[in-house]
Amino acid sequence: MQSIKGLKGSQGLALDPEVLREIERDNATGIKGADLWTFFLQECEECTEFRADEEFDELCFEFGLELDEITSEKDIISKEQGDVKAEGASDVILYKIDVPANRYDLLCLEGLVRGLQVFKERTEAPRYERVYPVDGEPQRLIITEETALVRPHAVAAVLRNITFTKDRYESFIELQEKLHQNVCRKRTLVAIGTHDLDTISGPFTFTAKPPADIKFKPLNQSKEYTAPELMNLYKTDSHLRHFLHIIEDKPVYPIIYDSNGIVLSMPPIINGDHSKISLNTKSVFIECTATDVTKAKIVLDMVVTMFSEYCDKPFTVEAAEVVYPDGKIFIYPELPYRKETLTSDFINKKVGFNETPESIAKLLTRMYLKSEVIGEGGDIEVEIPPTRSDIIHACDIVEDAAMAYGFNNLRRTMPRTYTVANQFPLNKLTELLRHDLAAAGFTEALTFALCSREDIADKLNKDISSTKAAHIANPKTAEFQVARTTLLAGLLKTVAANRKMPLPLKLFEISDVVLKDETRDVGARNNRRLCAIYYNKSPGFEVIHGLLDRTMQLLDVKPGREKGYCIQAVEDSTFFPGRCAEVFAHGQSIGRLGVLHPDVINKFELTMPCSALDIDIEPFL
């Protein structure tokens, strides 16, 4: 859950009523930072706090959002760290709102308020306009060919004569952070830089240089650093250290200069201190460097459309030129308006209501999609603004029509087609085995599908390269580095966590493991396996062997080498020498059973002998 106050989480907003009350309404422009608190209080029949919260919850649901929680900074700290740590924290109410991942226009207060105003038909959606400076050429950003090695694309724009307040400034910075975490994929695809245009002079140059040749004073620092020194400095920074890996292994680092050689930024790491913006900034130069130019255009459009309302001429953005190494010149921001035509019959059929074309056009207009009926056949022309990059297909427009109509208002009907459900065969076999293994005296466990490399390799006396493991890129914790290739490690960890339980411990699990497979389109496949362990003062190999016999009996597989099942001695580093057997069924190997090696038992912090069975059940379908 993201928030204006910096609450932790993945996506959303937390709205502080005290902050919102300070934002003034400008009747001349319709919405110049509308006061959200006043906005939804006016929607309530009774102006009580409880009623306002209830009404706002309903409004969010109608708009396709979810009011996740009404809380405060003090309550959050109290829950996470205790009442002692929460002393002195702010008790200002925060509204935590879940926002769909593709609605970048709702990630800041300005966009959310504007969207709700249009939805409630308090105002019309603004028309965004790209303008050119009246007294000179547009700002120019020149890209050199060296950037092809690191970040080959860039876009730029200018917010001229903008007025910042403390709240607007904070919202401006927070939107950039949310976009960095979301569509920018933690700055790997796009990095945003904002600069006080009055402190620098164009044209600007986006190039790439060897790290040792870069030296400047970074944001909020008191002295100059070379690029290698900056990378070492930020390795301990809780925020910036997560982005260092993007360029630290590159032979050159991207860098942006102005015409006087002043460094604007070293994307995607840090801006220069010289051009930092403040509450007194009147003109903001925005540059977005990227590996994906499409994402860069979306990000730039979002930033300028959300905050152009604070310019002297609201909703206007000054254009900037971007010159590529081949000489091609592009003008940004594009602020594209495109039109799509749908029939009212198509929308009525997909949604399941029966509305007139005029009514559907009105519903779509409320969702920030200005629409009108054209012709006599019930066609509806829908204009998609630059803020709605989530509208990709006609079905996205249909979804918005259904949302504006209200999902709870749709009439329930019986499906026109009849189908007979049938359980997936592999799951049906799994369910049957689960019940019978439990009847055999074993307790079912359900372990994590992700584990550490150590769990499936070192602790089982295996080499990680031989495990066919699918590795997680940039894992959050050491506990979740790979997708499991065996169920055995998870069961042993379960036993280790329950050592104080009465012996013997008999556990089993039937679940999927993930194995690399170059023949699959995604490079890996799921494999359903059965694993069971017996942990006691004696190894209990006969118990595990008996469980194998019972399982084969349930699967109607008789003992035999050719058409039945059999076991054959084999050596495996996970098992005790001479106490391991390979299981064959219908002439193919399906797994192994045996007494675990003492080293394996010790690595899982166990002290008793343990026997295990691990077989593939997919061949029995």
Side-chain angles (χ1 to χ4, degrees), residues 151-169:
R151 300 177 82 79
H153 304 290
V155 296
V158 175
L159 290 176
R160 183 78 68 175
N161 296 323
I162 190 171
T163 302
F164 280 121
T165 63
K166 182 176 180 294
D167 299 317
R168 294 174 184 178
Y169 178 83

Side-chain angles (χ1 to χ4, degrees), residues 59 62-63 115-121 366-367 403-404:
L59 175 61
E62 291 172 6
F63 191 55
L116 289 173
Q117 289 278 8
V118 174
F119 179 71
K120 298 301 292 183
E121 300 178 278
R366 292 175 58 203
M367 297 302 293
M403 201 177 298

Side-chain angles (χ1 to χ4, degrees), residues 137 147 178 201 217 313 321 380 479 488 589 592 606:
E137 295 294 321
T147 59
K178 289 167 188 171
S201 60
K217 182 180 175 183
K313 188 178 180 182
E321 293 180 350
I380 301 172
E479 289 296 315
L488 180 58
S589 173
R592 294 182 178 180
L606 300 175

